[in-house]
Amino acid sequence: MSTAADARTAHRKTRGGAGFRRRLRHAAGVLLLGTGVLGACTVPTAGPGGGTTPEASSPATTAEPSADPAAVEACTRFWGDPDYTRPLSRDVLDRAGTASENGASDPMFYALTGDDVDAAFSGAPAELQGSAGAVAAWFRTEAAQGADGDLEALRTAMDELAQGCAPVSDAAAWFHAPGEDGTKPAALTCADIFDTPSTFTVFGNANVLTSNMFKLVGRTPQTVPEDGMDEVEATLARLDQEIAAVDDDGVREALTAVRAPFSDAVEGDLRSPGLQEPLEQLGGACGAVGYDAGVGEQQQDEQDDEDGEGLV
């Protein structure tokens, strides 16, 4: 009988490419780049994972001294507080983002993701176990349907889990719904921009936001594709949301520089100078708040993509 490790290894051998190697670097402790986009201030807003609320909700909270230690442990393992490196939620989003293409041909791999989720919450309170069980069940059932899988069902399950973890996890609280402006931890903002897959966004893929942004405004100077304006506008809305939310002036200033080519494109100037320098500035600002964005690794990955493999 194949082991879980055997199944994961076999799956990885079938999914090469620079984009997937970029995501696998989490296992080696090197961070990915990015997150997805959507939502504007005048419509129901969306957190990085897609949870919505008609208005901005109360600020995200940190663990109370009286919080159940088992809940804190499980939620921290899944959502990644406080450093947001290699959280299980990121793997869940990544694998969900590839399920439409690979789920039907490799259902065992996705079922193992369900096992990972169950294991993370095995010692948690019953209510959290139930919410996590719904996430796990999606990977054992819907993922195997491939393109016919109900991704909205996973979004709903993850939102319920995020709501349950919100009292002890800033990441969960912001996934569930945006908090008050100026209160989002800068490290979480950096993780959402550089490392979270775009599964529940306008892009609908497992690539991180920066990879998707490069397709629109380039790493180096390029002309913004006119047929990508819906994605440009959605990215601009997301960047505006992050700029307003973050609690650090340096990260806010750097995000404003990243925003510029998207704003210019919406206003009609399609000549983008590229994002290399703005993202280097943002990487430095994230480093100053303790988050290693791995910008150099991202640039090499993008060069690999341009050399022939393309984004996964």
Side-chain angles (χ1 to χ4, degrees):
M1 180 178 294
S2 298
T3 65
D6 290 336
R8 288 189 176 94
T9 299
H11 182 85
R12 287 167 181 164
K13 287 180 179 178
T14 67
R15 294 176 57 204
F20 188 59
R21 289 198 304 274
R22 176 167 57 251
R23 297 194 294 274
L24 287 182
R25 286 198 177 99
H26 287 300
V30 180
L31 298 179
L32 309 179
L33 296 177
T35 193
V37 330
L38 263 187
C41 296
T42 58
V43 298
T45 53
T52 60
T53 182
E55 299 177 356
S57 66
S58 57
T61 57
T62 54
E64 296 292 335
S66 59
D68 185 334
V72 174
E73 180 179 359
C75 291
T76 297
R77 181 175 178 183
F78 190 82
W79 296 105
D81 302 82
D83 59 11
Y84 311 109
T85 59
R86 300 175 61 191
L88 180 56
S89 58
R90 196 176 296 157
D91 290 337
V92 165
L93 289 172
D94 177 278
R95 295 169 192 175
T98 66
S100 63
E101 294 183 11
N102 301 305
S105 61
D106 195 359
M108 182 177 179
F109 174 78
Y110 293 92
L112 290 172
T113 304
D115 295 344
D116 292 340
V117 175
D118 279 340
F121 286 89
S122 61
E127 185 174 355
L128 282 178
Q129 285 190 29
S131 298
V135 175
W138 188 92
F139 283 94
R140 298 187 183 108
T141 57
E142 293 298 323
Q145 303 303 312
D148 294 327
D150 185 356
L151 195 60
E152 279 300 311
L154 178 62
R155 186 201 299 261
T156 298
M158 288 191 67
D159 184 63
E160 181 178 330
L161 181 57
Q163 187 173 11
C165 283
V168 298
S169 166
D170 284 324
W174 284 89
F175 182 102
H176 175 60
E180 293 181 0
D181 286 352
T183 64
K184 185 173 183 178
L188 175 57
T189 299
C190 292
D192 283 343
I193 293 295
F194 280 111
D195 286 306
T196 302
S198 303
T199 306
F200 293 144
T201 74
V202 66
F203 297 106
N205 60 37
N207 291 323
V208 296
L209 179 59
T210 49
S211 292
N212 286 312
M213 290 196 298
F214 284 136
K215 293 187 296 182
L216 299 172
V217 300
R219 178 173 59 87
T220 55
Q222 73 170 46
T223 299
V224 178
E226 292 186 11
D227 61 0
M229 289 307 297
D230 287 346
E231 293 175 339
V232 168
E233 291 176 358
T235 303
L236 179 61
R238 176 56 185 275
L239 290 172
D240 284 341
Q241 184 182 36
E242 296 292 355
I243 288 166
V246 69
D247 67 0
D248 180 80
D249 290 340
V251 173
R252 184 180 301 110
E253 180 181 353
L255 282 172
T256 301
V258 172
R259 176 189 186 277
F262 295 95
S263 176
D264 290 345
V266 168
E267 293 173 3
D269 184 358
L270 302 183
R271 299 168 299 175
S272 169
L275 289 175
Q276 181 166 337
E277 290 187 8
L279 285 178
E280 287 176 353
Q281 179 184 348
L282 180 58
C286 289
V289 298
Y291 191 86
D292 178 7
V295 173
E297 293 290 334
Q298 169 70 358
Q299 292 173 357
Q300 182 59 54
D301 283 333
E302 293 304 324
Q303 186 61 56
D304 291 344
D305 290 336
E306 292 170 8
D307 288 343
E309 292 193 58
L311 293 174
V312 171

